[in-house]
Amino acid sequence: MKPCLADYNIEELKQILIEMGEKPFRAGQIFKSLHAGLSFDEMTDLSKPLRAQLKEKFIDIPARIIETIKSVDGTEKFLFAFSDGNVIEGVLMRYKYGNTLCVSSQIGCRMNCAFCASGLEGLIRNLSAGEILSEVICVNKYLQGGLGEKRKVTNIVMMGSGEPLDNYDNVTKFLRLVSAKEGLNISVRNISLSTSGLVNKMYDLANENLPVNLTVSLHSPFDDERALIMPVAKKWSIKEILPACDNFFKVTGRRYIFEYVLINGNNDTKRHADALINLLKGKPCHVNLIRLNEVKEKNLKTVTDKEAYRFLGILEKASLSATLRRRMGDDIDGACGQLRRRYLSEKDKQNSNEMPYDNAGVNNDGVN
Ligand code: SAH
């Protein structure tokens, strides 16, 4: 497959142009055009021969939107296809302060969390920096946004399929590309990165000068119970996660967030709430409670609103900063990976060929 030009920063583009015998100043022009969502054919400020050369050697924007569904509440879901035929999904949530896009960092995921649809087939492959960026570029263009101040995607959450810190180099590069002042210029402060708690990478991230909103999926205050929901807990204990969060706060000055998916009869009891309070009291953190979005293939049940508010009430009473995430887009298959799975099973019914990827040799239990 051809390399994708959206993977490169301006310095790297300059190098590529010099090697092609072109003027390096064109790098800025090409960078801007790509980030605005223009194809090679639409880059009319470049000579025709240069456009033809680029087209021969590279892919411009490696993702395209192949399906959209809009919810009654304005939330919109996108299915993106990549050059190799793989598909992933993204969700756009509209708020008063702007539009937040939820992006995916991998096709599939090897964390294999008990409640999540993304890990059902394991990790298929990592997305490159330019592929993750293309999700943002496509939706920004779809919303008729431009670069910088004219962008229509204003916030990003890395909470789609994949474990961002399991694709570390591409994800950090993506964060630099999407926040570049010559491009969309989305401040990393407006970007949340959600991790299942890969402790060593959390320390690395603190030193990248990328002050994102660090979000950690906790889902239980007890290591043994957490390991039943998230196999990665066998590798990293809560005792190791908490200092990594505190270090992130120390280095970046940014408060961190814990996500806690409420699963009926599993992690939603008073015993869990009390232990959570013990664990987190006095820490510079916020707890985001999420009602489980039931996944057909999994046998876990969601909580009622009453149960969710009861759990929230216990945390609030202990003065823990906590909120219950608003339900959005329930009518359009809200949970991660569900639109993609429906698409794949429909495609499977149409042609019972093999899937266009090879899943062999990947360790899929989230424990290296
Ligand atoms: N791997 C990363 C990011 C992807 S999951 C992580 O684990 O944080 C992003 C968030 O979506 C996680 O907090 C996860 O718990 C939540 N999530 C995944 N599947 C869900 C479901 N079925 N219902 C509710 N939340 C879900």
mmCIF file of all heavy atoms in Angstrom, residues 17 26 32 45 65 70-71 77 105 130 137 139 158 177 195 215 246 266 269 284 296 302 312 330 333 340 344 353 367:
data_model
loop_
_atom_site.group_PDB
_atom_site.id
_atom_site.type_symbol
_atom_site.label_atom_id
_atom_site.label_comp_id
_atom_site.label_asym_id
_atom_site.label_seq_id
_atom_site.Cartn_x
_atom_site.Cartn_y
_atom_site.Cartn_z
ATOM 1 N N LEU A 17 9.583 16.669 -0.299
ATOM 2 C CA LEU A 17 9.556 17.537 -1.478
ATOM 3 C C LEU A 17 10.967 17.768 -2.017
ATOM 4 O O LEU A 17 11.183 17.751 -3.229
ATOM 5 C CB LEU A 17 8.875 18.864 -1.136
ATOM 6 C CG LEU A 17 7.352 18.731 -0.994
ATOM 7 C CD1 LEU A 17 6.767 19.890 -0.219
ATOM 8 C CD2 LEU A 17 6.698 18.617 -2.369
ATOM 9 N N ARG A 26 6.525 24.418 -0.423
ATOM 10 C CA ARG A 26 5.238 23.788 -0.785
ATOM 11 C C ARG A 26 4.698 22.908 0.357
ATOM 12 O O ARG A 26 3.509 22.591 0.385
ATOM 13 C CB ARG A 26 5.413 22.898 -2.017
ATOM 14 C CG ARG A 26 5.842 23.638 -3.253
ATOM 15 C CD ARG A 26 4.680 23.757 -4.215
ATOM 16 N NE ARG A 26 5.002 24.593 -5.336
ATOM 17 C CZ ARG A 26 4.330 25.701 -5.636
ATOM 18 N NH1 ARG A 26 3.326 26.094 -4.897
ATOM 19 N NH2 ARG A 26 4.675 26.422 -6.678
ATOM 20 N N LYS A 32 -1.597 22.298 4.812
ATOM 21 C CA LYS A 32 -2.875 23.005 5.007
ATOM 22 C C LYS A 32 -3.987 22.385 4.171
ATOM 23 O O LYS A 32 -5.112 22.194 4.657
ATOM 24 C CB LYS A 32 -2.727 24.479 4.624
ATOM 25 C CG LYS A 32 -1.978 25.260 5.677
ATOM 26 C CD LYS A 32 -2.001 26.731 5.379
ATOM 27 C CE LYS A 32 -1.377 27.461 6.543
ATOM 28 N NZ LYS A 32 -0.884 28.764 6.229
ATOM 29 N N ASP A 45 -3.526 24.889 -6.120
ATOM 30 C CA ASP A 45 -2.386 25.807 -6.007
ATOM 31 C C ASP A 45 -1.066 25.083 -6.293
ATOM 32 O O ASP A 45 0.002 25.697 -6.246
ATOM 33 C CB ASP A 45 -2.351 26.481 -4.620
ATOM 34 C CG ASP A 45 -2.366 25.479 -3.466
ATOM 35 O OD1 ASP A 45 -2.555 24.266 -3.728
ATOM 36 O OD2 ASP A 45 -2.195 25.909 -2.312
ATOM 37 N N ILE A 65 -15.889 8.872 4.800
ATOM 38 C CA ILE A 65 -17.119 8.536 5.531
ATOM 39 C C ILE A 65 -17.993 7.718 4.598
ATOM 40 O O ILE A 65 -18.285 8.159 3.492
ATOM 41 C CB ILE A 65 -17.852 9.832 5.954
ATOM 42 C CG1 ILE A 65 -16.986 10.646 6.918
ATOM 43 C CG2 ILE A 65 -19.202 9.509 6.578
ATOM 44 C CD1 ILE A 65 -17.538 12.041 7.234
ATOM 45 N N LYS A 70 -27.968 9.916 12.243
ATOM 46 C CA LYS A 70 -28.154 11.022 13.164
ATOM 47 C C LYS A 70 -29.211 10.668 14.199
ATOM 48 O O LYS A 70 -30.249 10.108 13.872
ATOM 49 C CB LYS A 70 -28.583 12.264 12.376
ATOM 50 C CG LYS A 70 -28.334 13.530 13.127
ATOM 51 C CD LYS A 70 -28.379 14.717 12.178
ATOM 52 C CE LYS A 70 -28.075 15.983 12.922
ATOM 53 N NZ LYS A 70 -27.896 17.115 12.037
ATOM 54 N N SER A 71 -28.911 11.015 15.457
ATOM 55 C CA SER A 71 -29.844 10.747 16.544
ATOM 56 C C SER A 71 -30.809 11.922 16.673
ATOM 57 O O SER A 71 -30.509 13.031 16.228
ATOM 58 C CB SER A 71 -29.039 10.581 17.829
ATOM 59 O OG SER A 71 -29.834 10.853 18.946
ATOM 60 N N LYS A 77 -23.394 9.619 14.191
ATOM 61 C CA LYS A 77 -22.418 8.533 14.169
ATOM 62 C C LYS A 77 -21.905 8.349 12.743
ATOM 63 O O LYS A 77 -22.657 8.452 11.784
ATOM 64 C CB LYS A 77 -23.122 7.258 14.648
ATOM 65 C CG LYS A 77 -22.164 6.207 15.044
ATOM 66 C CD LYS A 77 -22.600 5.524 16.329
ATOM 67 C CE LYS A 77 -21.429 4.725 16.846
ATOM 68 N NZ LYS A 77 -21.703 3.980 18.046
ATOM 69 N N SER A 105 -8.499 4.771 17.780
ATOM 70 C CA SER A 105 -7.048 4.766 17.594
ATOM 71 C C SER A 105 -6.532 3.442 17.040
ATOM 72 O O SER A 105 -5.395 3.344 16.605
ATOM 73 C CB SER A 105 -6.348 5.073 18.921
ATOM 74 O OG SER A 105 -6.765 4.156 19.907
ATOM 75 N N GLY A 130 -1.832 9.627 10.640
ATOM 76 C CA GLY A 130 -2.620 10.270 9.578
ATOM 77 C C GLY A 130 -4.011 9.664 9.448
ATOM 78 O O GLY A 130 -4.964 10.348 9.068
ATOM 79 N N ILE A 137 -10.421 15.151 10.113
ATOM 80 C CA ILE A 137 -10.472 15.928 8.871
ATOM 81 C C ILE A 137 -11.794 15.683 8.140
ATOM 82 O O ILE A 137 -12.467 16.620 7.709
ATOM 83 C CB ILE A 137 -9.280 15.558 7.944
ATOM 84 C CG1 ILE A 137 -7.953 16.024 8.563
ATOM 85 C CG2 ILE A 137 -9.460 16.134 6.544
ATOM 86 C CD1 ILE A 137 -6.705 15.599 7.771
ATOM 87 N N VAL A 139 -14.728 14.609 9.287
ATOM 88 C CA VAL A 139 -15.924 15.132 9.958
ATOM 89 C C VAL A 139 -15.917 16.660 9.934
ATOM 90 O O VAL A 139 -16.956 17.299 9.730
ATOM 91 C CB VAL A 139 -16.043 14.577 11.399
ATOM 92 C CG1 VAL A 139 -17.190 15.234 12.148
ATOM 93 C CG2 VAL A 139 -16.232 13.067 11.362
ATOM 94 N N MET A 158 -10.528 10.576 22.772
ATOM 95 C CA MET A 158 -9.989 9.328 22.208
ATOM 96 C C MET A 158 -10.613 8.194 22.997
ATOM 97 O O MET A 158 -10.000 7.599 23.881
ATOM 98 C CB MET A 158 -8.463 9.315 22.298
ATOM 99 C CG MET A 158 -7.845 10.509 21.613
ATOM 100 S SD MET A 158 -6.121 10.254 21.170
ATOM 101 C CE MET A 158 -6.313 9.215 19.710
ATOM 102 N N LEU A 177 -0.070 16.537 15.291
ATOM 103 C CA LEU A 177 -0.572 16.967 13.973
ATOM 104 C C LEU A 177 -1.885 17.747 14.116
ATOM 105 O O LEU A 177 -2.068 18.799 13.510
ATOM 106 C CB LEU A 177 -0.803 15.747 13.070
ATOM 107 C CG LEU A 177 0.438 15.008 12.559
ATOM 108 C CD1 LEU A 177 0.024 13.725 11.821
ATOM 109 C CD2 LEU A 177 1.280 15.894 11.629
ATOM 110 N N THR A 195 -7.517 5.809 28.698
ATOM 111 C CA THR A 195 -6.713 4.581 28.712
ATOM 112 C C THR A 195 -7.254 3.593 29.735
ATOM 113 O O THR A 195 -7.841 3.991 30.746
ATOM 114 C CB THR A 195 -5.230 4.886 29.023
ATOM 115 O OG1 THR A 195 -4.513 3.630 29.086
ATOM 116 C CG2 THR A 195 -5.037 5.627 30.328
ATOM 117 N N THR A 215 -7.723 10.431 31.028
ATOM 118 C CA THR A 215 -8.896 9.737 31.533
ATOM 119 C C THR A 215 -8.539 8.260 31.687
ATOM 120 O O THR A 215 -7.982 7.681 30.759
ATOM 121 C CB THR A 215 -10.043 9.907 30.516
ATOM 122 O OG1 THR A 215 -10.253 11.299 30.327
ATOM 123 C CG2 THR A 215 -11.317 9.286 30.975
ATOM 124 N N ASP A 246 -1.083 10.698 39.572
ATOM 125 C CA ASP A 246 -0.561 11.825 40.358
ATOM 126 C C ASP A 246 0.660 12.436 39.681
ATOM 127 O O ASP A 246 0.836 13.655 39.682
ATOM 128 C CB ASP A 246 -0.203 11.361 41.775
ATOM 129 C CG ASP A 246 -1.458 11.164 42.622
ATOM 130 O OD1 ASP A 246 -2.469 11.855 42.349
ATOM 131 O OD2 ASP A 246 -1.451 10.307 43.521
ATOM 132 N N ASN A 266 -22.730 -5.892 39.547
ATOM 133 C CA ASN A 266 -21.318 -6.247 39.365
ATOM 134 C C ASN A 266 -20.397 -5.279 40.106
ATOM 135 O O ASN A 266 -19.630 -5.663 40.975
ATOM 136 C CB ASN A 266 -21.031 -6.265 37.854
ATOM 137 C CG ASN A 266 -19.603 -6.634 37.523
ATOM 138 O OD1 ASN A 266 -18.667 -6.083 38.080
ATOM 139 N ND2 ASN A 266 -19.424 -7.576 36.619
ATOM 140 N N THR A 269 -22.504 -1.586 43.765
ATOM 141 C CA THR A 269 -23.050 -1.684 45.121
ATOM 142 C C THR A 269 -22.465 -0.591 46.031
ATOM 143 O O THR A 269 -21.501 0.085 45.662
ATOM 144 C CB THR A 269 -22.710 -3.044 45.755
ATOM 145 O OG1 THR A 269 -21.292 -3.076 45.980
ATOM 146 C CG2 THR A 269 -23.104 -4.197 44.849
ATOM 147 N N PRO A 284 -6.687 14.946 43.059
ATOM 148 C CA PRO A 284 -7.136 15.959 42.090
ATOM 149 C C PRO A 284 -7.819 15.302 40.898
ATOM 150 O O PRO A 284 -7.345 15.361 39.772
ATOM 151 C CB PRO A 284 -5.827 16.630 41.664
ATOM 152 C CG PRO A 284 -4.792 15.567 41.840
ATOM 153 C CD PRO A 284 -5.245 14.695 42.975
ATOM 154 N N LYS A 296 -24.858 -6.656 22.587
ATOM 155 C CA LYS A 296 -25.604 -7.891 22.313
ATOM 156 C C LYS A 296 -24.805 -9.156 22.661
ATOM 157 O O LYS A 296 -25.302 -10.088 23.277
ATOM 158 C CB LYS A 296 -25.983 -7.878 20.822
ATOM 159 C CG LYS A 296 -26.996 -8.891 20.406
ATOM 160 C CD LYS A 296 -27.459 -8.661 18.969
ATOM 161 C CE LYS A 296 -26.558 -9.355 17.972
ATOM 162 N NZ LYS A 296 -25.932 -8.691 16.935
ATOM 163 N N THR A 302 -27.252 -3.348 32.205
ATOM 164 C CA THR A 302 -27.049 -1.967 32.622
ATOM 165 C C THR A 302 -27.819 -1.671 33.905
ATOM 166 O O THR A 302 -28.587 -2.515 34.385
ATOM 167 C CB THR A 302 -27.452 -0.992 31.493
ATOM 168 O OG1 THR A 302 -26.977 0.304 31.845
ATOM 169 C CG2 THR A 302 -28.959 -0.956 31.288
ATOM 170 N N LEU A 312 -24.152 7.667 42.429
ATOM 171 C CA LEU A 312 -23.615 9.030 42.335
ATOM 172 C C LEU A 312 -23.793 9.762 43.662
ATOM 173 O O LEU A 312 -22.877 10.454 44.140
ATOM 174 C CB LEU A 312 -24.334 9.796 41.206
ATOM 175 C CG LEU A 312 -23.971 11.271 41.041
ATOM 176 C CD1 LEU A 312 -22.526 11.418 40.569
ATOM 177 C CD2 LEU A 312 -24.910 11.959 40.039
ATOM 178 N N ASP A 330 -28.675 7.279 22.166
ATOM 179 C CA ASP A 330 -29.110 5.919 22.494
ATOM 180 C C ASP A 330 -29.818 5.238 21.328
ATOM 181 O O ASP A 330 -29.717 4.032 21.144
ATOM 182 C CB ASP A 330 -30.102 5.966 23.663
ATOM 183 C CG ASP A 330 -29.401 5.661 24.972
ATOM 184 O OD1 ASP A 330 -28.160 5.521 24.949
ATOM 185 O OD2 ASP A 330 -30.091 5.561 25.993
ATOM 186 N N ASP A 333 -27.419 3.214 18.341
ATOM 187 C CA ASP A 333 -26.355 2.268 18.689
ATOM 188 C C ASP A 333 -25.172 2.958 19.337
ATOM 189 O O ASP A 333 -24.048 2.853 18.861
ATOM 190 C CB ASP A 333 -25.846 1.560 17.427
ATOM 191 C CG ASP A 333 -26.527 0.234 17.201
ATOM 192 O OD1 ASP A 333 -27.372 -0.146 18.017
ATOM 193 O OD2 ASP A 333 -26.182 -0.399 16.217
ATOM 194 N N ARG A 340 -20.135 -0.611 13.686
ATOM 195 C CA ARG A 340 -19.164 -1.345 12.878
ATOM 196 C C ARG A 340 -19.524 -2.828 12.809
ATOM 197 O O ARG A 340 -19.488 -3.437 11.753
ATOM 198 C CB ARG A 340 -17.779 -1.177 13.498
ATOM 199 C CG ARG A 340 -16.735 -2.042 12.875
ATOM 200 C CD ARG A 340 -15.362 -1.708 13.412
ATOM 201 N NE ARG A 340 -14.392 -2.565 12.772
ATOM 202 C CZ ARG A 340 -14.055 -3.760 13.225
ATOM 203 N NH1 ARG A 340 -14.590 -4.232 14.336
ATOM 204 N NH2 ARG A 340 -13.174 -4.486 12.568
ATOM 205 N N LEU A 344 -20.345 -5.044 9.525
ATOM 206 C CA LEU A 344 -19.576 -6.239 9.156
ATOM 207 C C LEU A 344 -20.476 -7.457 9.022
ATOM 208 O O LEU A 344 -20.304 -8.259 8.120
ATOM 209 C CB LEU A 344 -18.466 -6.509 10.184
ATOM 210 C CG LEU A 344 -17.316 -5.498 10.208
ATOM 211 C CD1 LEU A 344 -16.318 -5.864 11.296
ATOM 212 C CD2 LEU A 344 -16.616 -5.401 8.861
ATOM 213 N N ASN A 353 -17.376 -14.384 2.117
ATOM 214 C CA ASN A 353 -15.924 -14.503 1.979
ATOM 215 C C ASN A 353 -15.231 -14.325 3.319
ATOM 216 O O ASN A 353 -15.819 -13.882 4.287
ATOM 217 C CB ASN A 353 -15.397 -13.413 1.042
ATOM 218 C CG ASN A 353 -15.825 -13.670 -0.373
ATOM 219 O OD1 ASN A 353 -16.066 -14.819 -0.747
ATOM 220 N ND2 ASN A 353 -15.947 -12.618 -1.154
ATOM 221 N N VAL A 367 -2.589 -8.421 28.003
ATOM 222 C CA VAL A 367 -1.468 -8.580 28.927
ATOM 223 C C VAL A 367 -0.246 -8.985 28.121
ATOM 224 O O VAL A 367 -0.211 -10.043 27.519
ATOM 225 C CB VAL A 367 -1.777 -9.673 29.972
ATOM 226 C CG1 VAL A 367 -0.660 -9.765 30.984
ATOM 227 C CG2 VAL A 367 -3.093 -9.380 30.657
#
